[in-house]
């Protein structure tokens, strides 16, 4: 195992990366490699199997992406890129799938592949994930692709259907392997591994290394080098992240969060909840208070989730409320604040959540709100991570220490402007629709009246004779549409067959 070492002055070019990739990375402002990249690239570029372990946000994507792109484009003399997949990257979530695809496409924008007619084409990288139609993904595979990034379930489906051919792979990557374990994808991964040639380079990247992941690595990797980009005893929490923990009442949490969102220097912010219902409720409440908020959780469709993430990345909304599962793979570097609206389940989830801020050398603030019934769970998290805050201070939206510690202006209130959404209008529209529905029986009463020869009736059997005689009271009742339709069919048949008996009172 290689431990963290301090290196200075290294660049991607000095590590042996191709000029085309170096130029593409420089255009994204990436010139100096992170520690995990410094340690991984020499081994990975040489074709060795690698296990990379580093905290979230430490640059693992280019740690495997750069060697992957270089290998499949450097060996074209012996194995030309024919449009059959040459590299496969398996990721746990749709969001991470899109992010990795975008990063690799950007890094490989100047790489090309030879065509049969002697010309060249751009390197092709596509994403394969569930929640979207099969047809566009199948069409992309049939047109030809060099690198596939996908989630286990959809990858396995397309393999079993014969659309995704894995027999020509040169490189396999499992990214965020611990999260795939948590989500139950290990059996699918094992099925995928059985369809991949043994002669390949394998890389596995993960923030943590639980026993099942170590066992998996031993079965499909050949003498891998295990690289840690941090000291073994260090926490998986960025040193530049300031952590605050408050005991907060459930009924005051939205008010409290509203103040935190007005802190000085507050930029893009993620708010984590444990349940989908809470995530949507918090997002709706904050929108009502004038904040620009989006939501990502399992009750939303994939298109809605992608739209919310796109708006968050573009700065159209600067607060994103998410559940733990939905937030897996969301990789945004410039998040300034993370708020745990509900206490995480365990220390691992706590690390995953607050690892969204304080990334790439930036400073960040993590705030955890612990309700009274969550104190025991928080005490276990605090003990496991050695945070030194087993008994958080009781805090409300009006507590002076909250304003002081988080640099919140004294004049901050629970609202910052007009509501950004109008749920009242939606309810009004719904009520209008309902009232319209109640008017339809009155409109249908006219054709029912005409089936009796145009004579108004009250709808009561005993009053049918009177109605037949043209009583004005019955006419008024029928016009108002209040007469029930029940029994009309029976009276209609009696009047048509035996008109003389219709005048007799019903027994």
């Amino acid at each position: 195992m290689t431990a963290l070492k301090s290196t200075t002055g290294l660049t991607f070019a000095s590590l042996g990366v191709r000029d085309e990739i170096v130029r593409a990375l420089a255009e994204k402002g990436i010139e100096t490699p992170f520690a995990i990249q410094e340690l991984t690239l020499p081994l990975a570029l040489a074709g060795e199997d690698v296990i990379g372990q580093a905290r979230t946000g430490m640059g693992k994507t280019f740690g495997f992406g750069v060697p992957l792109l270089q290998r499949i484009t450097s060996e074209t003399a012996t194995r030309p890129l024919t449009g059959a997949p040459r590299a496969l990257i398996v990721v746990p979530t749709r969001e991470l799938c899109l992010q990795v695809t975008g990063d690799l496409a950007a890094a490989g924008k100047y790489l090309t592949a030879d065509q049969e007619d002697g010309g060249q084409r751009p390197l092709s990288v596509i994403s394969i994930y569930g929640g979207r139609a099969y047809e566009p993904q199948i069409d992309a595979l049939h047109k030809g692709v060099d690198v596939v990034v996908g989630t286990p379930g959809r990858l396995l489906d397309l393999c079993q259907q014969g659309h995704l051919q894995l027999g020509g792979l040169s490189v396999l990557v499992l990214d965020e392997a611990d999260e795939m374990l948590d989500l139950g994808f290990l059996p699918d991964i094992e099925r995928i591994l059985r369809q991949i040639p043994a002669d390949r380079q394998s890389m596995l990247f993960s923030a943590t290394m639980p026993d099942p992941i170590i066992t998996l690595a031993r079965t499909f990797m050949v003498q891998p080098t295990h690289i840690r980009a941090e000291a073994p005893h260090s926490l998986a929490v960025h040193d530049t992240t300031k952590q605050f923990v408050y005991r907060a009442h459930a009924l005051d949490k939205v008010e409290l969060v509203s103040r935190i969102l007005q802190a000085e220097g507050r930029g893009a912010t993620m708010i984590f909840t444990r349940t989908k219902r809470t995530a949507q409720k918090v997002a709706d409440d904050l929108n009502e208070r004038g904040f620009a908020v989006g939501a990502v959780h399992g009750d939303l469709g994939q298109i809605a989730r992608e739209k919310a993430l796109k708006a968050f990345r573009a700065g159209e909304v600067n607060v994103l409320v998410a559940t733990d599962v939905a937030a897996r793979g969301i990789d945004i570097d410039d998040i300034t604040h993370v708020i745990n609206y509900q206490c995480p389940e365990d220390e691992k989830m706590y690390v995953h959540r607050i690892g969204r801020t304080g990334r790439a050398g930036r400073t960040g603030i993590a705030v955890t709100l612990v309700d009274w019934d969550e104190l025991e769970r928080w005490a276990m998290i605090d003990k496991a991570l050695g945070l030194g805050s087993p008994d958080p201070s009781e805090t409300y939206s009006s507590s002076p220490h909250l304003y002081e510690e988080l640099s919140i202006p004294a004049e901050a209130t629970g609202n910052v402007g007009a509501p950004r959404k109008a749920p009242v209008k939606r309810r009004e529209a719904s009520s209008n629709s309902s009232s319209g529905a109640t008017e339809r029986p009155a409109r249908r009463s006219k054709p029912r009246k005409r089936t009796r020869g145009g004579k108004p009736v009250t709808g009561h059997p005993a009053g049918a004779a009177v109605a037949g005689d043209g009583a004005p009271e019955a006419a008024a009742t029928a016009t108002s549409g209040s007469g029930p339709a029940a029994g009309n069919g029976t009276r209609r048949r009696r009047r048509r067959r035996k008109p003389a008996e219709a005048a007799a009172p019903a027994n």
Side-chain angles (χ1 to χ4, degrees), residues 186-498:
L186 219 53
D188 287 346
I189 293 172
E190 292 171 347
R191 295 189 189 98
I192 293 172
L193 291 175
R194 288 195 286 266
Q195 305 184 46
I196 297 176
D199 183 18
R200 65 171 187 268
Q201 180 184 15
S202 300
M203 291 181 276
L204 183 149
F205 283 75
S206 184
T208 60
M209 294 298 297
D211 289 341
I213 297 301
I214 295 175
T215 302
L216 177 67
R218 289 173 178 169
T219 60
F220 83 97
M221 305 183 82
V222 179
Q223 297 181 341
T225 301
H226 189 168
I227 297 173
R228 291 183 67 115
E230 56 196 352
H233 62 274
S234 66
L235 291 176
V237 177
H238 303 300
D239 297 333
T240 54
T241 300
K242 295 181 180 179
Q243 302 173 59
F244 299 91
V245 187
Y246 302 115
R247 189 188 309 179
H249 195 286
L251 297 178
D252 190 51
K253 281 187 177 181
V254 173
E255 287 285 346
L256 200 153
V257 169
S258 299
R259 270 66 171 187
I260 297 174
L261 293 179
Q262 298 175 65
E264 295 177 3
R266 201 273 295 180
T269 302
M270 289 194 69
I271 301 175
F272 286 97
T273 67
R274 287 203 312 270
T275 66
K276 297 177 286 187
R277 179 176 298 179
T278 303
Q280 190 59 55
K281 184 179 185 304
V282 171
D284 290 342
D285 287 346
L286 292 176
N287 272 311
E288 285 291 325
R289 295 168 181 265
F291 295 96
V293 184
V296 177
H297 55 78
D299 281 346
L300 296 175
Q302 181 60 25
I303 295 177
R305 290 164 65 175
E306 290 178 11
K307 183 178 179 181
L309 284 173
K310 183 178 180 181
F312 187 57
R313 288 192 173 98
E316 297 172 10
V317 299
N318 55 30
V319 180
L320 187 69
V321 186
T323 55
D324 294 313
V325 173
R328 292 178 184 269
I330 297 178
D331 191 9
I332 301 172
D333 288 336
D334 56 352
I335 294 175
T336 64
H337 288 63
V338 166
I339 301 173
N340 292 319
Y341 189 86
Q342 292 174 304
C343 183
E345 292 292 339
D346 51 35
E347 69 276 8
K348 182 179 176 182
M349 189 57 65
Y350 177 80
V351 169
H352 273 300
R353 286 184 178 185
I354 73 170
R356 309 293 171 180
T357 187
R359 307 174 70 154
R362 299 179 176 89
T363 59
I365 293 176
V367 180
T368 300
L369 306 181
V370 182
D371 206 339
W372 269 254
D373 60 353
E374 298 172 332
L375 285 173
E376 184 176 350
R377 183 188 300 118
W378 170 252
M380 296 175 62
I381 295 173
D382 178 85
K383 181 179 179 180
L385 297 177
L387 300 178
S389 301
D391 188 22
S393 60
E394 187 172 339
T395 305
Y396 296 90
S397 56
S398 57
S399 299
H401 67 270
L402 175 73
Y403 287 71
E404 180 180 352
E405 292 176 350
L406 298 181
S407 301
I408 301 172
E411 63 274 12
T413 63
N415 295 273
V416 295
R420 297 179 62 89
K421 289 185 179 180
V424 175
K425 278 190 175 180
R426 292 197 296 268
R427 287 195 294 268
E428 287 174 354
S430 176
S431 63
N432 289 342
S433 172
S434 300
S435 63
T438 59
E439 292 172 2
R440 292 191 187 101
R443 289 193 295 268
R444 287 196 300 265
S445 63
K446 292 183 179 180
R448 288 187 185 131
K449 180 182 65 177
R450 287 194 296 270
T451 59
R452 301 220 181 163
K455 297 180 180 180
V457 296
T458 62
H460 296 284
V466 179
D469 293 334
E473 297 90 340
T477 304
T479 304
S480 66
S482 61
N488 286 352
T490 303
R491 291 193 303 275
R492 188 184 306 124
R493 288 193 298 271
R494 185 180 301 126
R495 285 174 60 84
R496 289 176 180 172
R497 289 196 298 266
K498 299 179 180 180

Side-chain angles (χ1 to χ4, degrees), residues 64-73 87 89 104 147 171 173 203:
F64 64 75
V66 168
L68 176 151
L69 294 172
Q70 181 142 325
R71 172 163 184 174
I72 66 173
T73 54
I89 304 169
L104 292 190
V147 181
V171 185
V173 178
M203 291 181 276

Side-chain angles (χ1 to χ4, degrees), residues 10-42:
L10 287 179
T11 63
F12 285 100
S14 66
L15 290 171
V17 179
R18 290 182 57 167
D19 292 340
E20 296 92 336
I21 301 177
V22 172
R23 179 156 56 109
L25 292 176
E27 291 181 359
K28 289 176 62 68
I30 303 172
E31 298 181 356
T32 304
F34 288 122
I36 186 65
Q37 297 163 357
E38 292 180 10
L39 299 170
T40 301
L41 288 177

